[in-house]
Structure formats: structure tokens, C-alpha cells
Amino acid sequence: WTEAGARAEIQIGPADVRLNELTELDVARLDDRIQQFALTQGTLNIQLDEMPAGGLHIDTPRGAISFTQPGRFRIDVGDASAAGNGDEGVRVTVFEGEARFEASQSAHVVKSGESAVLAGEPTQVALSAAQSTPFDAWALNRDRPISTSKTLAHVSPQMTGYQDFDAHGTWERAPDYGPVWYPRVAVDDW
């Protein structure tokens, strides 16, 4: 849960899951085979550099969202533009990549550059062009250092936290070992 004005970030291998303010996210299953979350309200921004083994799945009150290609995505639960008669609509925005939404009796694919509002009973889909928000700009800014990472030449993007190496040290070649990462600041008890 993130309070008003707060944001959070979860890094799991090649996936960055970012929570905007007033977002409730539960980890339903997290192991070597699957990453499954339940978003009950709020907004997520997801960056998938590669497809994780078993995929990444987001359960919402309207159905399940899975990602069929790497990319950048936003999911809004409780979307005001879909609300009506107590309906808590879900918006799936795909900036890059592709997502699949599955409800009890239907399935919909949302492609790059599209935003889909899912509401009603049975689920109705309204498509529009993907629109970025200030939260998306914040998430994209967090990704920029990753796209120029020197670490990716030495460490798999499947390793959680690989993004932090460039910010805190440099890579140099050691004759006996090959590439070695050296911290910029080392304290006596490090």
C-alpha cells in the first residue's frame, strides 16, 4: 500500500513494477516459475526488459492481465473514466509491447500505442490512444540509466538489482579475473 504522495518500486529480475500513490498491491505468487500480483486499487507502471520465466501476471477485480511481449505498461484499477453504476473499471495502457486481458467470458489483446478501458457486465472494451501521465514520466526517467548500462555486458538482466552497479561503481578488466566491478566509495568495514 502506498499513501498519498508516495511511490514505490519493486525490482524482480528483468521486471520493474512501480506503484503510484494510493495503490494496493498484493504478491499472490513469486517463485522461479511465476510472478503473480493482485492489484485491487491504484496505478502500476511496469517495465519488462525481457519476459520473465513463467511470465508476469496482474490480477484485477475485472480479470487477469498477462504480458505477451516485453515493453512498458500502465494499469489503473478504479479508473474514473470507466466508473459508473459502481463499476470499478480497469484501464490497461501499452506504450510498448503487448498485453492480454482475460475476464470470465472474454479475452482482449491490447497492442503497442493503445489504451483499453474494461468495464461493464459482460466486460466491454473501449480502445483509445495511449496517453502518458506524470507518473509514467517519472517511471521512464527511472529507466533511462538502465538503457545505457555498462553492467549488462557483464551481468544478466535476470539478476535483481543489476541496475544499481553503474550508479555506485565502475567495471575494469583485471588480468587474473577478467571484468571486475569496483565501488566508487568503500568504507573500512565494507
Side-chain angles (χ1 to χ4, degrees):
W1 170 256
T2 51
E3 295 290 334
R7 290 181 173 154
E9 179 176 59
I10 303 169
Q11 296 175 347
I12 306 166
D16 293 311
V17 179
R18 297 178 174 112
L19 292 72
N20 202 8
E21 64 180 342
L22 304 174
T23 298
E24 184 176 342
L25 183 71
D26 292 319
V27 178
R29 184 171 171 196
L30 183 60
D31 58 36
D32 292 339
R33 292 184 303 266
I34 193 167
Q35 297 174 17
Q36 185 174 1
F37 298 89
L39 177 64
T40 53
Q41 74 176 50
T43 302
L44 295 182
N45 182 292
I46 299 167
Q47 170 72 35
L48 285 176
D49 294 329
E50 291 181 13
M51 294 302 295
L56 175 66
H57 308 275
I58 309 293
D59 296 327
T60 73
R62 306 264 337 140
I65 300 164
S66 58
F67 305 94
T68 57
Q69 296 175 7
R72 290 186 316 112
F73 311 88
R74 186 182 69 242
I75 301 171
D76 301 285
V77 170
D79 189 289
S81 64
N85 301 326
D87 191 350
E88 284 294 316
V90 172
R91 179 181 296 270
V92 178
T93 302
V94 179
F95 300 106
E96 299 168 17
E98 187 175 275
R100 179 179 172 83
F101 175 81
E102 293 186 36
S104 59
Q105 298 181 10
S106 62
H108 308 280
V109 173
V110 185
K111 298 182 182 206
S112 184
E114 294 180 340
S115 185
V117 173
L118 311 151
E121 202 52 55
T123 301
Q124 302 294 310
V125 178
L127 288 175
S128 61
Q131 299 287 321
S132 185
T133 66
F135 176 57
D136 298 319
W138 173 80
L140 184 60
N141 190 49
R142 301 268 307 151
D143 289 332
R144 285 199 178 123
I146 296 166
S147 65
T148 59
S149 175
K150 292 179 178 34
T151 296
L152 288 175
H154 310 291
V155 177
S156 167
Q158 295 287 336
M159 182 179 150
T160 299
Y162 79 90
Q163 303 92 331
D164 298 326
F165 279 97
D166 290 327
H168 301 287
T170 57
W171 288 93
E172 295 179 24
R173 182 161 289 287
D176 295 336
Y177 299 104
V180 175
W181 179 82
Y182 294 93
R184 285 196 186 94
V185 177
V187 294
D188 291 338
D189 63 348
W190 183 70

Coordinates of all heavy atoms in Angstrom, one line a residue, residues 149-152 154-155 159 161-174 177-186 190:
S149 N 23.3 1.1 -19.6 CA 24.1 0.4 -18.6 C 25.2 -0.3 -19.2 O 25.1 -1.1 -20.1 CB 23.1 -0.6 -17.9 OG 23.9 -1.4 -17.0
K150 N 26.4 -0.2 -18.5 CA 27.6 -0.9 -18.9 C 27.6 -2.3 -18.2 O 28.2 -3.2 -18.6 CB 28.9 -0.1 -18.5 CG 29.1 1.1 -19.4 CD 30.3 1.9 -18.9 CE 30.6 3.1 -19.7 NZ 29.5 3.9 -20.2
T151 N 26.8 -2.4 -17.2 CA 26.7 -3.6 -16.4 C 26.1 -4.8 -17.2 O 26.5 -5.9 -17.0 CB 25.9 -3.4 -15.1 OG1 26.6 -2.5 -14.3 CG2 25.7 -4.7 -14.3
L152 N 25.2 -4.5 -18.2 CA 24.6 -5.5 -18.9 C 25.6 -6.3 -19.8 O 25.3 -7.4 -20.2 CB 23.5 -4.9 -19.8 CG 22.3 -4.5 -19.1 CD1 21.3 -3.8 -20.0 CD2 21.6 -5.6 -18.4
H154 N 28.2 -7.5 -18.5 CA 28.8 -8.4 -17.5 C 27.9 -9.2 -16.7 O 28.2 -10.2 -16.1 CB 29.8 -7.6 -16.6 CG 30.7 -6.7 -17.3 ND1 31.8 -7.2 -18.1 CD2 30.7 -5.4 -17.4 CE1 32.4 -6.2 -18.6 NE2 31.8 -5.1 -18.2
V155 N 26.6 -8.7 -16.5 CA 25.6 -9.3 -15.6 C 24.3 -9.5 -16.4 O 23.9 -8.6 -17.1 CB 25.4 -8.4 -14.4 CG1 24.4 -9.0 -13.5 CG2 26.7 -8.2 -13.6
M159 N 19.2 -10.8 -13.2 CA 19.7 -10.6 -11.8 C 19.1 -9.4 -11.2 O 19.3 -8.2 -11.6 CB 21.2 -10.4 -11.8 CG 21.8 -10.3 -10.4 SD 23.6 -10.1 -10.5 CE 23.9 -9.1 -9.1
G161 N 18.5 -6.2 -9.2 CA 19.4 -5.2 -8.7 C 20.6 -4.8 -9.6 O 21.4 -4.0 -9.2
Y162 N 20.7 -5.5 -10.8 CA 21.8 -5.2 -11.6 C 21.9 -3.7 -12.0 O 22.9 -3.1 -12.3 CB 21.8 -6.0 -12.9 CG 20.8 -5.5 -14.0 CD1 21.2 -4.6 -14.9 CD2 19.5 -5.9 -14.0 CE1 20.3 -4.1 -15.9 CE2 18.6 -5.4 -14.9 CZ 19.0 -4.5 -15.9 OH 18.1 -4.0 -16.8
Q163 N 20.7 -3.0 -12.0 CA 20.7 -1.6 -12.3 C 21.5 -0.7 -11.4 O 21.9 0.4 -11.8 CB 19.2 -1.1 -12.3 CG 18.3 -1.9 -13.1 CD 17.6 -3.0 -12.4 OE1 18.1 -3.6 -11.5 NE2 16.4 -3.4 -12.9
D164 N 21.8 -1.2 -10.2 CA 22.5 -0.3 -9.2 C 24.0 -0.3 -9.4 O 24.7 0.5 -8.9 CB 22.1 -0.8 -7.8 CG 20.7 -0.6 -7.5 OD1 20.1 0.3 -8.0 OD2 20.1 -1.5 -6.8
F165 N 24.6 -1.3 -10.1 CA 26.0 -1.3 -10.3 C 26.6 -0.1 -10.9 O 27.6 0.5 -10.4 CB 26.4 -2.6 -11.1 CG 26.5 -3.8 -10.4 CD1 25.4 -4.7 -10.4 CD2 27.6 -4.2 -9.6 CE1 25.4 -5.9 -9.7 CE2 27.6 -5.4 -8.9 CZ 26.5 -6.3 -9.0
D166 N 26.0 0.4 -12.0 CA 26.6 1.6 -12.7 C 26.5 2.8 -11.9 O 27.4 3.7 -11.9 CB 25.8 1.8 -14.0 CG 26.1 0.8 -15.1 OD1 27.2 0.2 -15.1 OD2 25.2 0.5 -15.9
A167 N 25.5 3.0 -11.0 CA 25.4 4.2 -10.2 C 26.4 4.2 -9.1 O 26.7 5.3 -8.6 CB 24.0 4.3 -9.6
H168 N 26.9 3.1 -8.7 CA 27.8 3.0 -7.5 C 29.2 2.5 -7.7 O 29.9 2.3 -6.8 CB 27.1 2.1 -6.4 CG 25.7 2.7 -6.0 ND1 25.6 3.8 -5.3 CD2 24.5 2.2 -6.4 CE1 24.3 4.0 -5.1 NE2 23.6 3.1 -5.8
G169 N 29.6 2.3 -9.0 CA 30.9 1.8 -9.2 C 31.2 1.8 -10.7 O 30.5 2.2 -11.5
T170 N 32.4 1.2 -11.0 CA 32.8 1.1 -12.4 C 33.4 -0.4 -12.7 O 33.8 -1.1 -11.7 CB 34.0 2.1 -12.7 OG1 35.1 1.8 -11.8 CG2 33.5 3.5 -12.6
W171 N 33.3 -0.7 -13.9 CA 33.9 -2.0 -14.3 C 35.3 -1.8 -14.9 O 35.5 -0.9 -15.7 CB 33.0 -2.7 -15.4 CG 31.7 -3.1 -14.8 CD1 30.5 -2.4 -14.8 CD2 31.4 -4.4 -14.3 NE1 29.5 -3.2 -14.2 CE2 30.0 -4.4 -13.8 CE3 32.2 -5.5 -14.0 CZ2 29.5 -5.5 -13.2 CZ3 31.6 -6.6 -13.4 CH2 30.2 -6.6 -13.0
E172 N 36.2 -2.7 -14.5 CA 37.6 -2.6 -15.1 C 38.0 -4.1 -15.3 O 37.5 -5.0 -14.7 CB 38.5 -1.9 -14.1 CG 38.2 -0.4 -13.9 CD 39.1 0.2 -13.0 OE1 40.3 -0.3 -12.8 OE2 38.7 1.3 -12.4
R173 N 38.9 -4.2 -16.2 CA 39.5 -5.6 -16.5 C 40.7 -5.8 -15.6 O 41.6 -5.1 -15.6 CB 39.9 -5.7 -18.0 CG 40.4 -7.1 -18.3 CD 40.3 -7.3 -19.8 NE 39.0 -7.5 -20.4 CZ 38.2 -8.6 -20.2 NH1 38.6 -9.6 -19.5 NH2 37.0 -8.6 -20.8
A174 N 40.6 -7.0 -14.9 CA 41.7 -7.4 -14.0 C 42.4 -8.6 -14.8 O 41.7 -9.5 -15.2 CB 41.2 -7.8 -12.7
Y177 N 41.3 -12.1 -13.5 CA 39.9 -12.4 -13.3 C 39.0 -12.0 -14.4 O 37.9 -12.5 -14.5 CB 39.4 -11.7 -12.0 CG 40.1 -12.1 -10.8 CD1 41.1 -11.3 -10.2 CD2 39.8 -13.4 -10.2 CE1 41.7 -11.7 -9.0 CE2 40.5 -13.8 -9.0 CZ 41.4 -13.0 -8.5 OH 42.1 -13.4 -7.3
G178 N 39.4 -11.1 -15.3 CA 38.5 -10.5 -16.3 C 37.8 -9.3 -15.8 O 38.4 -8.6 -15.0
P179 N 36.6 -9.1 -16.2 CA 35.8 -7.9 -15.7 C 35.6 -8.0 -14.2 O 35.1 -9.0 -13.7 CB 34.5 -8.0 -16.5 CG 34.6 -9.0 -17.5 CD 35.8 -9.9 -17.1
V180 N 35.9 -6.9 -13.5 CA 35.7 -6.8 -12.1 C 35.0 -5.4 -11.8 O 35.4 -4.4 -12.3 CB 37.0 -6.8 -11.3 CG1 36.8 -6.6 -9.8 CG2 37.7 -8.2 -11.5
W181 N 34.0 -5.5 -10.9 CA 33.3 -4.2 -10.5 C 34.0 -3.7 -9.3 O 34.2 -4.4 -8.3 CB 31.8 -4.5 -10.3 CG 31.0 -3.3 -9.8 CD1 30.5 -2.4 -10.6 CD2 30.7 -3.0 -8.5 NE1 29.9 -1.4 -9.9 CE2 30.0 -1.8 -8.5 CE3 31.0 -3.5 -7.3 CZ2 29.5 -1.1 -7.4 CZ3 30.5 -2.9 -6.1 CH2 29.7 -1.7 -6.2
Y182 N 34.3 -2.4 -9.3 CA 34.9 -1.7 -8.2 C 33.9 -0.6 -7.7 O 33.5 0.2 -8.5 CB 36.2 -1.0 -8.6 CG 37.3 -2.0 -8.9 CD1 37.5 -2.4 -10.3 CD2 38.1 -2.6 -8.0 CE1 38.5 -3.4 -10.6 CE2 39.1 -3.5 -8.3 CZ 39.3 -3.9 -9.6 OH 40.2 -4.8 -9.9
P183 N 33.6 -0.6 -6.4 CA 32.8 0.5 -5.9 C 33.5 1.9 -5.9 O 34.7 1.9 -5.8 CB 32.5 0.1 -4.4 CG 33.6 -0.8 -4.1 CD 34.1 -1.5 -5.3
R184 N 32.7 2.9 -6.1 CA 33.3 4.3 -6.1 C 33.7 4.7 -4.7 O 34.7 5.4 -4.5 CB 32.3 5.3 -6.7 CG 32.2 5.2 -8.2 CD 31.5 6.4 -8.8 NE 31.3 6.2 -10.2 CZ 30.2 5.7 -10.7 NH1 29.2 5.4 -9.9 NH2 30.1 5.4 -12.0
V185 N 32.9 4.3 -3.7 CA 33.2 4.6 -2.3 C 33.3 3.3 -1.5 O 32.3 2.5 -1.6 CB 32.1 5.5 -1.7 CG1 32.3 5.8 -0.3 CG2 32.0 6.8 -2.5
A186 N 34.4 3.1 -0.8 CA 34.5 2.0 0.0 C 34.9 2.4 1.4 O 35.8 3.1 1.6 CB 35.5 1.0 -0.5
W190 N 33.4 -2.2 4.9 CA 32.6 -2.7 3.7 C 32.8 -4.1 3.4 O 33.9 -4.6 3.4 CB 32.8 -1.8 2.5 CG 32.0 -2.1 1.3 CD1 30.7 -2.0 1.2 CD2 32.4 -2.7 0.1 NE1 30.2 -2.4 0.0 CE2 31.3 -2.9 -0.7 CE3 33.7 -3.2 -0.3 CZ2 31.4 -3.5 -2.0 CZ3 33.7 -3.8 -1.6 CH2 32.6 -3.9 -2.4

